[in-house]
Amino acid sequence: MAEAGASDRYAQVAGQEGRYTIIGLQGWYFAVPLGRSAGTMEAVPLTRVPMAPETVLGLTHIQGHILTVLDLGHLLGLSPAEQPRRFYLVNDEEEQVGLVVDTVEDIVTVEPLALDSMEVELPPGVRAYASGVFRWRGQPVVNLSVERLLK
Protein backbone atom coordinates (compact mmCIF):
# COMPACT_ATOMS: atom_id res chain seq x y z
CA MET A 1 0.00 0.00 0.00
CA ALA A 2 2.91 2.39 0.63
CA GLU A 3 3.89 2.25 -3.04
CA ALA A 4 0.44 3.46 -4.11
CA GLY A 5 0.73 6.46 -1.78
CA ALA A 6 4.10 7.39 -3.23
CA SER A 7 2.80 7.29 -6.80
CA ASP A 8 -0.26 9.35 -5.78
CA ARG A 9 1.92 12.13 -4.41
CA TYR A 10 3.61 12.23 -7.80
CA ALA A 11 0.26 12.25 -9.63
CA GLN A 12 -1.04 15.17 -7.56
CA VAL A 13 1.53 17.59 -8.96
CA ALA A 14 0.13 19.96 -11.58
CA GLY A 15 1.27 18.85 -15.01
CA GLN A 16 1.46 15.14 -14.15
CA GLU A 17 -1.26 12.92 -15.58
CA GLY A 18 -3.12 10.76 -13.09
CA ARG A 19 -6.43 9.06 -12.34
CA TYR A 20 -8.81 10.90 -10.03
CA THR A 21 -12.19 10.47 -8.40
CA ILE A 22 -14.36 13.58 -8.74
CA ILE A 23 -16.49 14.40 -5.70
CA GLY A 24 -19.08 17.14 -5.33
CA LEU A 25 -19.62 19.36 -2.31
CA GLN A 26 -21.72 22.52 -2.01
CA GLY A 27 -21.60 23.30 -5.71
CA TRP A 28 -17.84 22.68 -6.00
CA TYR A 29 -16.11 19.74 -7.64
CA PHE A 30 -12.93 18.29 -6.16
CA ALA A 31 -10.55 15.58 -7.37
CA VAL A 32 -8.85 12.99 -5.17
CA PRO A 33 -6.19 10.63 -6.55
CA LEU A 34 -7.84 7.30 -7.35
CA GLY A 35 -5.10 5.44 -5.48
CA ARG A 36 -6.26 7.15 -2.27
CA SER A 37 -9.90 6.16 -2.83
CA ALA A 38 -11.30 3.45 -0.60
CA GLY A 39 -14.94 3.69 -1.64
CA THR A 40 -18.10 5.46 -0.63
CA MET A 41 -20.94 4.75 1.76
CA GLU A 42 -24.23 6.22 2.82
CA ALA A 43 -23.93 8.35 5.95
CA VAL A 44 -24.58 6.49 9.20
CA PRO A 45 -25.02 7.76 12.78
CA LEU A 46 -21.73 8.82 14.33
CA THR A 47 -20.37 8.69 17.85
CA ARG A 48 -19.21 12.17 18.86
CA VAL A 49 -15.69 12.55 20.20
CA PRO A 50 -15.48 14.86 23.23
CA MET A 51 -13.04 17.75 22.79
CA ALA A 52 -12.29 16.80 19.16
CA PRO A 53 -11.80 19.63 16.65
CA GLU A 54 -14.98 20.86 14.95
CA THR A 55 -13.86 19.24 11.71
CA VAL A 56 -14.18 15.78 13.31
CA LEU A 57 -17.85 14.87 13.09
CA GLY A 58 -17.39 11.58 14.89
CA LEU A 59 -16.54 7.91 14.65
CA THR A 60 -18.22 4.83 13.27
CA HIS A 61 -17.10 1.35 12.39
CA ILE A 62 -16.80 -0.24 8.99
CA GLN A 63 -15.76 -3.83 8.41
CA GLY A 64 -14.42 -4.10 11.96
CA HIS A 65 -12.32 -0.92 11.81
CA ILE A 66 -12.91 2.47 13.39
CA LEU A 67 -13.58 5.19 10.82
CA THR A 68 -13.01 8.85 11.67
CA VAL A 69 -15.41 11.07 9.71
CA LEU A 70 -14.35 14.61 8.85
CA ASP A 71 -16.47 17.53 7.70
CA LEU A 72 -14.85 18.34 4.34
CA GLY A 73 -16.84 21.56 4.00
CA HIS A 74 -15.56 22.81 7.33
CA LEU A 75 -11.98 21.76 6.48
CA LEU A 76 -12.15 23.74 3.23
CA GLY A 77 -13.66 26.83 4.82
CA LEU A 78 -17.06 26.22 3.23
CA SER A 79 -20.28 25.68 5.17
CA PRO A 80 -20.20 22.94 7.84
CA ALA A 81 -22.22 19.80 7.09
CA GLU A 82 -25.71 19.88 8.57
CA GLN A 83 -27.14 16.54 7.45
CA PRO A 84 -24.36 14.35 6.00
CA ARG A 85 -25.67 12.05 3.27
CA ARG A 86 -22.56 10.36 1.97
CA PHE A 87 -19.06 9.53 3.19
CA TYR A 88 -16.21 9.31 0.70
CA LEU A 89 -13.51 7.03 2.10
CA VAL A 90 -9.84 7.85 1.59
CA ASN A 91 -6.74 5.97 2.60
CA ASP A 92 -4.55 7.94 4.95
CA GLU A 93 -1.04 6.79 5.90
CA GLU A 94 -2.27 4.23 8.45
CA GLU A 95 -6.08 4.27 8.33
CA GLN A 96 -9.15 5.09 6.30
CA VAL A 97 -10.88 8.40 6.87
CA GLY A 98 -14.41 9.36 5.82
CA LEU A 99 -15.04 12.75 4.25
CA VAL A 100 -18.57 14.13 4.12
CA VAL A 101 -19.46 14.83 0.47
CA ASP A 102 -22.65 15.49 -1.45
CA THR A 103 -21.85 13.29 -4.46
CA VAL A 104 -19.27 11.00 -6.01
CA GLU A 105 -19.36 11.89 -9.69
CA ASP A 106 -16.79 10.19 -11.89
CA ILE A 107 -13.34 8.68 -12.31
CA VAL A 108 -11.16 10.47 -14.87
CA THR A 109 -7.63 10.43 -16.23
CA VAL A 110 -6.37 14.01 -16.50
CA GLU A 111 -3.34 16.21 -16.29
CA PRO A 112 -4.14 18.93 -13.71
CA LEU A 113 -3.01 22.46 -14.51
CA ALA A 114 -1.35 24.94 -12.20
CA LEU A 115 -3.79 26.79 -9.92
CA ASP A 116 -3.28 30.13 -11.65
CA SER A 117 -3.82 28.68 -15.15
CA MET A 118 -7.62 28.99 -14.91
CA GLU A 119 -9.62 32.02 -13.90
CA VAL A 120 -11.40 30.46 -10.94
CA GLU A 121 -11.90 32.37 -7.69
CA LEU A 122 -11.10 29.88 -4.93
CA PRO A 123 -12.07 30.49 -1.31
CA PRO A 124 -8.94 30.74 0.87
CA GLY A 125 -9.64 27.39 2.60
CA VAL A 126 -10.01 25.60 -0.73
CA ARG A 127 -6.85 27.24 -2.11
CA ALA A 128 -4.88 26.07 0.95
CA TYR A 129 -5.51 22.41 0.04
CA ALA A 130 -5.50 22.73 -3.76
CA SER A 131 -2.67 21.37 -5.86
CA GLY A 132 -4.09 21.96 -9.34
CA VAL A 133 -7.23 22.45 -11.40
CA PHE A 134 -8.82 21.06 -14.54
CA ARG A 135 -12.13 21.19 -16.37
CA TRP A 136 -14.66 18.37 -16.35
CA ARG A 137 -17.93 18.67 -18.25
CA GLY A 138 -17.26 22.41 -18.53
CA GLN A 139 -16.90 22.84 -14.76
CA PRO A 140 -13.72 23.64 -12.84
CA VAL A 141 -12.45 20.81 -10.64
CA VAL A 142 -10.00 21.51 -7.82
CA ASN A 143 -7.39 18.84 -7.29
CA LEU A 144 -7.03 18.33 -3.50
CA SER A 145 -3.77 17.54 -1.75
CA VAL A 146 -4.87 14.68 0.48
CA GLU A 147 -1.61 14.86 2.44
CA ARG A 148 -2.22 18.49 3.45
CA LEU A 149 -5.93 17.91 4.02
CA LEU A 150 -5.45 15.05 6.48
CA LYS A 151 -2.49 16.54 8.39
Side-chain angles (χ1 to χ4, degrees):
M1 201 61 119
E3 288 180 73
S7 66
D8 292 343
R9 280 192 277 289
Y10 182 72
Q12 282 187 295
V13 176
Q16 298 295 325
E17 184 175 271
R19 295 189 70 202
Y20 299 87
T21 303
I22 297 176
I23 56 177
L25 179 68
Q26 300 178 26
W28 288 90
Y29 292 108
F30 300 100
V32 177
L34 185 60
R36 297 299 289 263
S37 296
T40 181
M41 64 184 278
E42 295 293 321
V44 296
L46 300 171
T47 301
R48 301 285 299 159
V49 180
M51 300 179 66
E54 290 180 5
T55 56
V56 177
L57 291 180
L59 304 173
T60 190
H61 63 87
I62 178 173
Q63 299 175 350
H65 293 86
I66 300 294
L67 179 71
T68 302
V69 177
L70 304 176
D71 184 342
L72 182 59
H74 195 93
L75 279 167
L76 296 176
L78 304 173
S79 299
E82 291 187 22
Q83 290 293 328
R85 297 182 305 215
R86 177 162 302 284
F87 300 153
Y88 175 70
L89 310 178
V90 295
N91 292 317
D92 193 10
E93 297 284 325
E94 300 170 7
E95 64 179 333
Q96 283 184 357
V97 175
L99 301 175
V100 173
V101 299
D102 294 333
T103 60
V104 178
E105 295 287 339
D106 203 353
I107 295 173
V108 296
T109 300
V110 295
E111 183 176 314
L113 304 170
L115 284 175
D116 56 0
S117 65
M118 290 175 58
E119 292 188 25
V120 177
E121 186 68 33
L122 299 178
V126 171
R127 182 171 276 286
Y129 297 109
S131 62
V133 293
F134 59 90
R135 288 216 177 264
W136 170 77
R137 298 181 181 169
Q139 299 295 316
V141 178
V142 179
N143 190 35
L144 293 177
S145 170
V146 176
E147 288 81 10
R148 285 189 303 218
L149 190 68
L150 299 180
K151 252 185 183 174

